[in-house]
Every structure is written in structure tokens, then in C-alpha cells.
Amino acid sequence: MQVVNPATEEPIAELEQAGVEETDAAVARAKAAFPAWRAVTPSDRARLLRRLATLVEENGEELAQIETRNVGKPISDSRGEVGMVADVFHFYAGAVDKHHGETIPVAGGVDMTFREPLGVVGLIVPWNFPLNISSWKLGPALACGNTVVLKPAELTPLSAMRLAELALEAGIPEGVVNVVVGKGSIVGQRFVEHPDVAKIGFTGSTEVGRMVMEGAAATIKRVTLELGGKSANVIFADADLEAAAAAAPYAVFGNAGQDCCARSRILVERSAYDRFLDLLVEATRDVKVGDPEDDSTEMGPLISAEQREKVESFVDGEPLFRGDAPDGKGFWFPCTLVEASNDDRVARDEVFGPVAAVIPFADEGEAIRLANDTPYGLSGSIWTENGARALRVARAIDTGVLSINANSSVRVQTPFGGFKQSGFGRELGMHALAGYSEIKNVFVAT
Ligand code: NAD
């Protein structure tokens, strides 16, 4: 298969696609490597993960260049993401010997729990943050003593392949980390069906997540699902409107809107609506769209022509604002703001492109109702100078990750994941370890 640079439409690599046979061979290698890997001492396993983190740092610029050329993401974003990948492996190196069991008071003896690895885990990753999301799964999976088969998305396999090479170079034994490049409907599907795969860690669309969950039922596989989102950025009239407006474009146009955490519904209190809209349009005008390899670029192209067509279908009528984007080659789409009601398609479906719906609300009660009026529940932000209101609203919104007077969703140390149809299970932080281990209870009669 051909891998294309979405900013130039030029091919950058040709790869052979794996089929079922190659997938089975990778699972067999991972299975064979499991007993020795789970037996590696905690200190040594931590040392290997730490070495991988260091190699990611040492090869950071190369990894960032691969990611930018393959995904079209601005190079400054790619550098930031590679930095997070290194931090993720440092964190899980430190977590290896801090994820431990309990002793529980019972009658007649001593009771204790162990955290056992699952075995071979199948990791399925989307195209929007290929390296980052691979690391979020690899870090805790390896720290717990599992071996892995990882399937990057068809459009963006290159950085995961390089990461697997670095894992070998770090001294992680052959067979522990396997990358299988191929179609979701073949390789991914085979992971889901395979009797020797104990768990699927999936990030992708809600639609495919549903199929993964159905397929996993046959072998009672464990699954964690990190799925789509339609997050709200709630702006109250008592917020620092300048700060909220300056941040809002980056909360939805980052990664060209191809972000599960995109705050693609901007809910604005009616009494501040006109003022906020003026500020928002000004701030959106400032987003620098263009060559992803330029250090100052803030937004690159979409991933594919197909994605651009899908995004375009969400804009009908005159938008509130439409920015500039390069002409010619590349899958470009401008930053676009549209006025909407929460019932419009642009406010209900995940656009996965740089289109934000701006929606007015009357009061706090309506803001909460609108924020929750979606099948998704991944992320969101609340902007207000009233601390009690900020916490009241945060508790009332059904979503996995919220930020107050900020846009951030992911941090290495904190749990990340969805409510409702945004999925279940948590990545990052110590919480992710629960998804890659099984609790065993042992009783000793005394
Ligand atoms: P996708 O669901 O189309 O594909 C995700 C992965 O699943 C790819 O590797 C794909 O090859 C594989 N796949 C496809 N069909 C499969 C099947 N039948 N069985 C097993 N695997 C299969 O998603 P995408 O278009 O690559 O990514 C965009 C989506 O991912 C968006 O919905 C976005 O919100 C979501 N996402 C979620 C998070 C999160 O953490 N919640 C993060 C990033 C992206």
C-alpha cells in the first residue's frame, strides 16, 4: 500500500500489507515471547522502558518529521507529541513496581491480591495521533508484563514502525512488541477474533468500536474503547472573554479539527454572545494555516481527500467565518465557524475537521442541558471567573475529562477516557494499568 503526505499528495512510502496469515504469525510471536517477558524483574522491565523513553528523546526530531510528513501535522505539534511519548515511557517505567496488590483482612488466614498480566494484547490505533496513542497503550501494556501486537491506521503506519525498531534497540526482547500493518477489516478484525489475544485496546470511531465490542464477545475478550467525541466549550458571560476567545480556536482547530477532544460545540451565554463572537472571529483569523514543515504553522491539511469531502458536507449556507487555506495540492480546509442550534447535524455528529458550531444559551441550566445533549461524553471546557459555578457545572456535565479556564485534555499523569458512547476504560496515569492487568486473589490458611 502507498503512504501519502497529505500536504503534498506525494507518496512517501510503499509497504506490503499484512493479511490474516501474517497477523497470526505476529500473534504467535507475541505469545511465544510472553512467558519470558512476564518473568523479567520489575527493575529490569522499568530499565528497558526507561531506555526506550531515552531513545525516543534521542530520535525525537526524526520521529517528529515522520509524523508531520505522514499526518500533515504542524512540526511544532509533532515535536510536542514526541516529547509526550518519551514522558509516557518514563512514567510507565516508574509505574512498573508501583502497581501492586493488597492484603485484605479475612477470617482464618491471610488474603492477598496480585496484578497479573493478560498475555497478548491487541492494540488498534487511529490516524490522528498515531505515535502518541500507540505510546498510551504500549506504556501500560508493557509495564504490566504483556506482549503486544499493534495495528496502526492504514493511512499512518510509519511512526509506529519506527517506534518498534527503537523498542528493539532499547533491548526489549524480540516478539514483545509487534507491529502489523494492514487493513482494519482484515488485521484489526483478526486481532478481535483471535483466541490467543486476551484484550483489545482500541482507539477510533464509535462505529468501529461497536464492531470491536461485538466481535470481542465471542471469546470474552477484555476491551477498552476510546471513541469519538462532540465536546462542549462552555463560555459564561462572567468569564475572562479575551482569554476564552484566544484559546477557543486551538481547542477545535488543533490537528485540523481531527481530534477526538475537539471542542467543536462552542456554547456561549447569550448576554455575552456578540462580544465573544467578535473576539472569536479575530482569534480564528490569526490561526496560521499552511506548510506543516514550517515552524510557525499552527494548522496543516486534513488527512485525505475523503475526509475533506466529509468535512465539507457539514457546511451549508453562509458560515459566520471562513479562514484562508492554501490552494493546489494537499487536502486543505479552512477554519470555519458556523452558527447552529444543538439539534443541527454539525452540532450532533463528529465533524473531525476544522468546523466549529457556535451555539447560544440563556443560563447555567440550559448550558448544562445542551452540553449533555449528545450521545458522546469525552472532553470539554468551562470558562467562568466564578469558582463555585465552575465546579458545579463540571460535576453536572457527563464527560470523562474537563478543564476549567483551559483547553487541555491529556496529561501523562491523569486518567483519560470517555463517558457514554465515547467509550470506556481509561488511558494514561496509574488508571491505565487496570486495563492491562487482571486481579488475582490468593488466600493462605494460617
Ligand atoms: P476508525 O474507527 O476508522 O479506525 C480506527 C482503527 O480501527 C484503524 O486502525 C482501523 O484500521 C481499525 N479498524 C477499522 N475497521 C476495523 C475492524 N472491523 N476491526 C478492527 N479494527 C478496525 O477511526 P479513524 O478514522 O482512524 O480515527 C478517527 C476516530 O477516532 C474518530 O472518531 C475519533 O474521535 C476517534 N479517536 C478517539 C480518541 C479517544 O481517545 N477517544 C482519540 C483519537 C481518535
Side-chain angles (χ1 to χ4, degrees):
M1 66 196 207
Q2 211 170 51
V3 183
V4 167
N5 178 338
T8 62
E9 301 181 37
E10 298 293 332
I12 50 173
E14 295 255 354
L15 302 171
E16 241 178 283
Q17 292 192 55
V20 169
E21 212 176 292
E22 291 80 8
T23 306
D24 286 356
V27 172
R29 275 195 297 276
K31 188 181 178 185
F34 176 61
W37 178 242
R38 81 179 299 185
V40 170
T41 67
S43 299
D44 283 345
R45 196 180 307 141
R47 205 169 277 120
L48 290 167
L49 287 176
R50 207 167 289 121
R51 175 90 187 107
L52 176 56
T54 305
L55 282 176
V56 168
E57 284 161 352
E58 287 171 7
N59 294 273
E61 186 58 24
E62 184 203 352
L63 288 166
Q65 296 283 349
I66 292 174
E67 202 76 326
T68 283
R69 279 202 299 277
N70 195 171
V71 190
K73 95 204 10 266
I75 187 68
S76 55
D77 288 2
S78 295
R79 289 186 184 123
E81 287 169 26
V82 169
M84 186 188 194
V85 171
D87 288 349
V88 165
F89 289 119
H90 278 302
F91 180 90
Y92 288 107
V96 168
D97 49 12
K98 292 164 198 74
H99 179 232
H100 37 63
E102 312 141 283
T103 53
I104 303 173
V106 293
V110 173
D111 193 281
M112 65 194 104
T113 62
F114 295 89
R115 308 279 183 156
E116 304 289 9
L118 300 168
V120 179
V121 300
L123 308 178
I124 302 178
V125 174
W127 46 256
N128 58 342
F129 293 94
L131 195 59
N132 242 318
I133 293 176
S134 296
S135 75
W136 299 357
K137 297 181 189 311
L138 278 169
L142 297 175
C144 289
N146 302 283
T147 57
V148 311
V149 285
L150 182 146
K151 195 200 88 60
E154 290 88 321
L155 295 171
T156 59
L158 301 181
S159 55
M161 293 168 67
R162 183 70 188 114
L163 185 63
E165 287 175 354
L166 294 178
L168 269 186
E169 198 180 320
I172 293 174
E174 201 146 345
V176 173
V177 178
N178 304 274
V179 174
V180 190
V181 174
K183 288 208 168 85
S185 55
I186 297 172
V187 176
Q189 179 73 29
R190 186 63 190 147
F191 283 8
V192 173
E193 289 165 356
H194 203 297
D196 290 337
V197 173
K199 184 236 164 86
I200 300 287
F202 175 86
T203 299
S205 61
T206 295
E207 190 189 349
V208 176
R210 198 171 282 123
M211 295 197 296
V212 167
M213 194 168 166
E214 275 175 26
T219 47
I220 316 290
K221 265 185 193 50
R222 283 87 185 107
V223 280
T224 46
L225 300 176
E226 300 287 346
L227 308 176
K230 194 70 204 175
S231 299
N233 192 1
V234 185
I235 321 283
F236 286 99
D238 63 8
D240 177 343
L241 294 181
E242 279 78 14
Y250 301 95
V252 53
F253 303 133
N255 215 42
Q258 304 163 118
D259 182 345
C260 52
C261 293
R263 274 74 162 167
S264 54
R265 294 184 298 145
I266 305 178
L267 308 185
V268 189
E269 190 164 359
R270 206 179 292 278
S271 58
Y273 189 81
D274 292 341
R275 166 96 184 109
F276 181 79
L277 203 58
D278 288 346
L279 292 166
L280 177 65
V281 166
E282 278 320 299
T284 304
R285 210 187 296 281
D286 288 344
V287 176
K288 196 161 174 279
V289 184
D291 180 3
E293 294 185 40
D294 183 325
D295 280 350
S296 63
T297 294
E298 294 175 315
M299 191 177 101
L302 294 171
I303 192 71
S304 65
E306 190 191 351
Q307 189 65 15
R308 182 169 56 188
E309 222 168 276
K310 183 188 149 203
V311 173
E312 183 73 61
S313 78
F314 281 92
V315 187
D316 53 356
E318 193 54 33
L320 285 169
F321 175 79
R322 199 181 178 101
D324 296 323
D327 293 327
K329 289 272 189 197
F331 309 122
W332 302 97
F333 199 91
C335 294
T336 307
L337 299 169
V338 299
E339 201 161 33
S341 110
N342 201 56
D343 297 324
D344 294 338
R345 180 172 163 250
V346 70
R348 299 218 70 79
D349 294 354
E350 193 178 38
V351 177
F352 233 54
V355 179
V358 189
I359 304 168
F361 66 83
D363 54 22
E364 188 179 308
E366 192 184 19
I368 293 167
R369 187 181 63 71
L370 291 176
N372 283 335
D373 181 15
T374 168
Y376 296 110
L378 187 56
S379 189
S381 293
I382 299 160
W383 293 80
T384 172
E385 293 293 282
N386 178 336
R389 161 180 275 170
L391 287 176
R392 198 164 56 232
V393 176
R395 294 301 304 274
I397 296 182
D398 301 327
T399 188
V401 192
L402 274 167
S403 53
I404 294 166
N405 297 334
N407 290 324
S408 72
S409 298
V410 295
R411 281 162 300 273
V412 174
Q413 302 84 355
T414 62
F416 172 73
F419 279 29
K420 303 195 283 184
Q421 292 188 33
S422 289
F424 55 83
R426 291 295 178 269
E427 300 205 289
L428 298 170
M430 294 300 279
H431 288 77
L433 298 163
Y436 291 97
S437 57
E438 202 82 84
I439 295 180
K440 182 184 286 171
N441 189 71
V442 176
F443 172 78
V444 191
T446 53

